[in-house]
Amino acid sequence: MIQNSCQKMWEKCLEVIRDIVSEAAYNTWFIPIEPLSYENKKFTIQVPSQFFYEYLEEKYINVLRVTLHRVFGEGTSLNYRVMVDRSSGGTVDYPAEQASMAVSRPNGKEPAKSIGPFSQVAQRELDSQLNPKYNFDNFLEGASNKLVRTAGETVAQNPGKTTFNPLFVYGPSGVGKTHLCHAIGIRIRELHPEKRVLYVSSHLFRVQFIDAVRKNTTNDFLNFYQGIDVLILDDIQELIGLDKTQNTFFHIFNHLHQLGKQLVLTSDKAPVDLQGLEERLITRLKWGLTAEVNRPDLDLRKKILRNKIAYEGITVPDEVFEFIATNVTENVRDLEGILVSLMANALINNREIDLPLAKRVIGQAVRLEKKEISVQRIQEVVCDYFNLEQAQILTTSRKREIVQARQITMFLAKKYTNCSLARIGKIVGKKDHATVLHACKTVKDQIEINKKFRSSIEAIEGILR
């Protein structure tokens, strides 16, 4: 009877959680949880593994706190029972962090710490709001982010003393802008511990400002921000349409810049495209360096995956690795999320990570569309397979490995695209149609007589498809 009551309460919790998290996160991280008991305001749940427990604590502690408060009321604490040995059913209990304690807000207000960093206590001991997990050591470099990484390291060496002030970084969501912000702040604190560094999202900045206006503490708000040595403001596009907040930030910006303090800002658009920001603010955003960070290319995606796999200490088959790197293309966040979901599914279902599992997990998280196979894409995949720079097959080099890659590119371009032989030749090193014909015949002959060569072609075709 008690178990049934506990199960019903957990079902109410799931209804709340489902409205907060994505469908993929809900299915991966909350459906496998088993409610065990609710006694003395302590709610105990069972999770499949230590990894599962640690991930919930790191990523979803606030979701659990909100849910417990809504369903069980104030003062409820969470306890995990972690399955450590499936064969024997061995478990170990862990209390959740204090952050999961279900508490109500006094008088319906947010705690002062979350919206009032400009209090007197904060002025004496500033919490920079930096996450040490995001540093330059794990901010892997590729063609898409080389400029912003170099600029970030330069700023960190001499904050406020370079021409990169402000440093304005823009690009789509999930490409590493926030990671870069934290990396810059952490490096500055390492090299210049006397500097007052603050990372703040534009959303939080707005909330703080509104609260300061409501409490008539605007001067305290201004004094706090004007005392910062390095201000890192993330997602400035969220200030669009907020005239009073923009005006306040404009004055903070001017004050800090005139004193030689460093400003780092990010956005999803270039300054010129931020319609809704005051023109005078846009002008100031362009005073220093404006740098774009793009979606990661195939090479960078593979670097990120290798780094994450090594960090987690797991084994991923080559075909799964290639499938993830080829199909999860939009941003770094998706790459890391897919890998975590794969690990979770493998643990929960007690199975190896294989291609069918990868396809199912990726299909739930990103849209797998049939990619148009272009000559450029074939060229990219062939060069990556043979570990060559794409520029190499466009040269006149007669090195065996380069000639072979060039011929395979031409052969596959003829097979998978509607391009004419002349067009293929023009794209692949400015060759004539006769060269393309010769290449196709050479590759076809090798496929028939060379088993290893045929396997390589099949592997490349598998990646393309």
Side-chain angles (χ1 to χ4, degrees):
M1 189 70 177
I2 295 175
Q3 179 62 30
N4 288 340
S5 175
C6 186
Q7 180 66 41
K8 288 179 181 178
M9 295 296 279
W10 177 239
E11 288 172 1
K12 291 182 180 179
C13 289
L14 289 178
E15 291 176 9
V16 174
I17 292 168
R18 192 163 194 166
D19 288 336
I20 299 175
V21 304
S22 68
E23 188 70 20
Y26 174 80
N27 291 330
T28 301
W29 298 108
F30 295 97
I31 288 297
I33 293 173
E34 296 180 25
L36 297 180
S37 64
Y38 178 56
E39 298 174 354
N40 300 321
K41 291 198 170 183
K42 182 169 75 173
F43 182 52
T44 299
I45 59 174
Q46 181 168 297
V47 295
S49 69
Q50 179 78 17
F51 167 77
F52 203 100
Y53 151 72
E54 290 174 356
Y55 195 83
L56 283 175
E57 280 286 278
E58 180 182 355
K59 298 291 185 182
Y60 294 111
I61 196 67
N62 288 329
V63 172
L64 292 167
R65 178 184 60 76
V66 170
T67 303
L68 290 178
H69 181 256
R70 289 189 190 177
V71 176
F72 292 96
E74 184 177 353
T76 299
S77 63
L78 179 65
N79 184 66
Y80 297 95
R81 184 158 297 167
V82 180
M83 182 73 70
V84 293
D85 188 342
R86 288 179 180 273
S87 60
S88 66
T91 61
V92 61
D93 282 13
Y94 293 107
E97 290 183 6
Q98 193 65 23
S100 67
M101 179 74 75
V103 294
S104 60
R105 299 165 184 162
N107 301 321
K109 299 176 183 177
E110 293 283 349
K113 183 179 177 183
S114 68
I115 61 172
F118 40 91
S119 66
Q120 293 300 314
V121 174
Q123 288 193 26
R124 290 194 298 269
E125 297 180 8
L126 175 66
D127 181 356
S128 294
Q129 301 294 315
L130 295 168
N131 189 336
K133 286 173 50 180
Y134 301 123
N135 52 61
F136 279 119
D137 291 338
N138 55 26
F139 187 83
L140 302 179
E141 182 179 303
S144 63
N145 64 10
K146 185 174 183 178
L147 174 60
V148 297
R149 193 186 198 283
T150 302
E153 290 186 313
T154 301
V155 163
Q157 292 289 331
N158 293 291
K161 293 182 172 60
T162 71
T163 55
F164 302 163
N165 194 19
L167 172 60
F168 187 96
V169 178
Y170 72 96
S173 176
V175 295
K177 300 189 298 295
T178 298
H179 187 148
L180 179 69
C181 285
H182 287 279
I184 292 171
I186 289 166
R187 180 66 58 83
I188 291 174
R189 293 197 69 190
E190 291 172 354
L191 299 176
H192 309 276
E194 77 285 358
K195 299 286 187 185
R196 290 168 56 80
V197 182
L198 179 67
Y199 165 87
V200 63
S201 68
S202 293
H203 172 75
L204 183 56
F205 181 88
R206 174 172 63 88
V207 171
Q208 292 169 354
F209 174 68
I210 292 171
D211 190 66
V213 171
R214 182 170 58 84
K215 292 180 176 179
N216 198 27
T217 57
T218 307
N219 287 338
D220 290 339
F221 177 87
L222 283 169
N223 288 336
F224 169 78
Y225 274 99
Q226 288 176 349
I228 299 298
D229 295 310
V230 180
L231 178 58
I232 304 170
L233 186 73
D234 208 359
D235 290 326
I236 196 173
Q237 75 274 3
E238 293 194 15
L239 301 187
I240 287 175
L242 305 171
D243 295 341
K244 291 182 179 179
T245 309
Q246 285 183 41
N247 182 61
T248 301
F249 178 69
F250 172 81
H251 290 298
I252 292 170
F253 182 104
N254 271 355
H255 180 87
L256 295 179
H257 196 274
Q258 287 169 9
L259 292 177
K261 309 299 185 182
Q262 180 68 49
L263 293 116
V264 178
L265 308 111
T266 75
S267 173
D268 61 355
K269 299 182 182 69
V272 69
D273 296 322
L274 289 171
Q275 298 180 7
L277 279 190
E278 292 184 12
E279 187 61 36
R280 60 177 183 166
L281 183 52
I282 291 175
T283 300
R284 281 157 177 77
L285 297 181
K286 296 187 288 185
W287 275 355
L289 174 68
T290 298
E292 182 179 13
V293 55
N294 294 301
R295 291 185 171 89
D297 58 19
L298 183 61
D299 181 57
L300 181 55
R301 296 199 299 272
K302 288 189 173 184
K303 282 184 184 178
I304 293 166
L305 274 176
R306 288 191 190 99
N307 183 69
K308 186 72 174 173
I309 288 168
Y311 178 80
E312 298 293 350
I314 60 172
T315 301
V316 175
D318 290 343
E319 60 179 2
V320 174
F321 180 90
E322 293 291 340
F323 186 79
I324 296 172
T326 303
N327 288 279
V328 185
T329 60
E330 288 300 299
N331 58 62
V332 177
R333 200 172 292 140
D334 284 349
L335 274 176
E336 295 180 339
I338 289 296
L339 201 56
V340 168
S341 294
L342 271 176
M343 289 188 289
N345 275 273
L347 281 167
I348 293 165
N349 299 312
N350 196 25
R351 61 177 290 183
E352 296 293 324
I353 294 176
D354 55 19
L355 192 56
L357 176 63
K359 288 182 176 179
R360 180 168 64 82
V361 169
I362 293 174
Q364 291 173 347
V366 298
R367 183 173 295 176
L368 288 175
E369 297 178 348
K370 187 72 175 177
K371 293 184 175 67
E372 179 184 353
I373 301 179
S374 64
V375 179
Q376 289 83 356
R377 173 162 162 71
I378 292 170
Q379 185 173 286
E380 178 184 279
V381 172
V382 170
C383 287
D384 186 72
Y385 185 85
F386 291 109
N387 198 26
L388 295 171
E389 296 289 336
Q390 289 189 48
Q392 289 181 277
I393 68 170
L394 304 181
T395 66
T396 58
S397 173
R398 301 302 302 168
K399 287 185 177 180
R400 183 176 177 277
E401 62 272 19
I402 295 175
V403 170
Q404 185 181 74
R406 187 187 299 132
Q407 290 178 336
I408 291 173
T409 300
M410 292 175 175
F411 170 81
L412 294 174
K414 180 177 182 295
K415 182 175 180 179
Y416 287 103
T417 75
N418 294 321
C419 292
S420 65
L421 297 181
R423 176 65 179 162
I424 293 170
K426 185 177 181 180
I427 295 173
V428 188
K430 297 181 179 179
K431 308 297 182 182
D432 58 28
H433 77 283
T435 303
V436 178
L437 270 177
H438 174 72
C440 293
K441 183 178 185 305
T442 300
V443 172
K444 187 176 180 181
D445 291 344
Q446 285 295 307
I447 289 173
E448 292 176 357
I449 63 174
N450 189 325
K451 185 177 180 180
K452 184 178 179 181
F453 184 86
R454 182 166 64 251
S455 296
S456 295
I457 298 296
E458 289 172 353
I460 292 170
E461 289 181 307
I463 296 170
L464 286 171
R465 290 195 292 266

